[in-house]
Amino acid sequence: MTPFQALYGYQTPHLAFPLHSTTSVQAVQDYLHDRDHMLQMLREDLLKAQTRMKFFVDKHRTERTFAVGDMVFLKLQPYRQTSVAICKNFKLSSKYFRPFEIVQRIGAIAYKLKLPVGSRIHLVFHVSQLKIKIGQHSTSSPSLPVVDQNGATLVEPAAVLDTRLTLRDGHSIPQFLIQWVSAPAEDATWEDTSHIRAQFPHFVLEDKDS
């Protein structure tokens, strides 16, 4: 049901009237005239907003076309573990993963890639997520992020790179510098030791024993 029906217990009233409808009641006639005028103003304002949005989007849009057999970089955005994070400003910039071969074009704006065997990521991507590989130089692009059976990105700690004490509200809080699975060391984040122990008890125990 709609939010309106959930709140009030009945469907929203149907207020659409035939165009140029007339009535012998002057008050109703004035209401219909004012309503048509208001709807026309809303349509014009929506059209202006859409035109403005399209103008600014098109300024940063480039036409991309690829052929079967091209090698392209794949742009993905594996999100950090926000449930245990202290910092509110993660590096959420998109990352390009190592080049993959295009095996099929799907329509005008989608392509199917040849991903490694065992990847649970869907093989078809929008053209905006791809960037052509130029040249034969070697790259150090990271591997694809680990996902579960439902396709959701798994964020797991891989190693503790360092420890520190940080001052918060007059108290010393121990923290781990965590390197996440499928993420480079430069993207490691400082996390509260208590949060990591609560979220990943087996990882902390294994790290402590090692």
Side-chain angles (χ1 to χ4, degrees):
M1 63 178 64
T2 63
F4 184 95
Q5 183 180 1
L7 180 61
Y8 295 104
Y10 60 91
Q11 292 282 4
T12 53
H14 182 66
L15 299 179
F17 301 100
L19 295 177
H20 308 296
S21 58
T22 59
T23 176
S24 59
V25 181
Q26 185 61 36
V28 177
Q29 183 68 27
D30 294 340
Y31 168 77
L32 293 177
H33 180 271
D34 293 341
R35 178 173 177 79
D36 290 341
H37 179 66
M38 180 176 62
L39 291 176
Q40 182 61 32
M41 291 179 60
L42 290 174
R43 293 190 188 97
E44 293 176 358
D45 288 343
L46 286 175
L47 180 59
K48 290 180 181 178
Q50 292 172 352
T51 303
R52 180 179 175 83
M53 294 172 63
K54 184 177 185 302
F55 171 77
F56 285 107
V57 170
D58 289 344
K59 290 178 64 176
H60 303 282
R61 179 175 292 159
T62 57
E63 294 295 332
R64 301 181 186 179
T65 56
F66 306 103
V68 174
D70 286 347
M71 301 297 293
V72 294
F73 290 98
L74 174 61
K75 183 170 69 175
L76 295 176
Q77 196 173 47
Y79 294 100
R80 302 294 194 275
Q81 179 69 25
T82 57
S83 61
V84 301
I86 303 168
C87 179
K88 301 300 181 182
N89 299 315
F90 278 133
K91 299 183 210 174
L92 292 182
S93 57
S94 302
K95 292 186 176 296
Y96 283 94
F97 293 82
R98 59 188 181 184
F100 302 98
E101 181 182 358
I102 293 179
V103 296
Q104 184 182 358
R105 181 170 183 174
I106 311 295
I109 57 174
Y111 293 87
K112 183 178 181 181
L113 303 185
K114 183 179 180 181
L115 299 183
V117 177
S119 298
R120 295 196 181 102
I121 301 176
H122 199 277
L123 302 179
V124 179
F125 299 90
H126 190 268
V127 65
S128 62
Q129 305 302 111
L130 308 176
K131 183 172 68 173
I132 192 68
K133 178 190 175 186
I134 301 177
Q136 300 297 327
H137 59 278
S138 61
T139 62
S140 58
S141 301
S143 58
L144 290 176
V146 181
V147 297
D148 58 16
Q149 295 181 352
N150 298 322
T153 302
L154 290 177
V155 182
E156 297 285 342
V160 175
L161 304 182
D162 199 357
T163 60
R164 73 176 183 183
L165 290 176
T166 184
L167 189 63
R168 189 187 309 151
D169 297 330
H171 301 282
S172 295
I173 307 298
Q175 290 185 334
F176 288 144
L177 181 60
I178 298 295
Q179 179 180 356
W180 302 98
V181 172
S182 299
E186 55 267 23
D187 285 346
T189 58
W190 288 101
E191 312 292 346
D192 281 5
T193 301
S194 58
H195 293 170
I196 295 295
R197 292 184 186 279
Q199 292 288 334
F200 310 102
H202 298 293
F203 165 77
V204 174
L205 290 176
E206 293 174 359
D207 183 82
K208 183 178 180 180
D209 294 340
S210 61

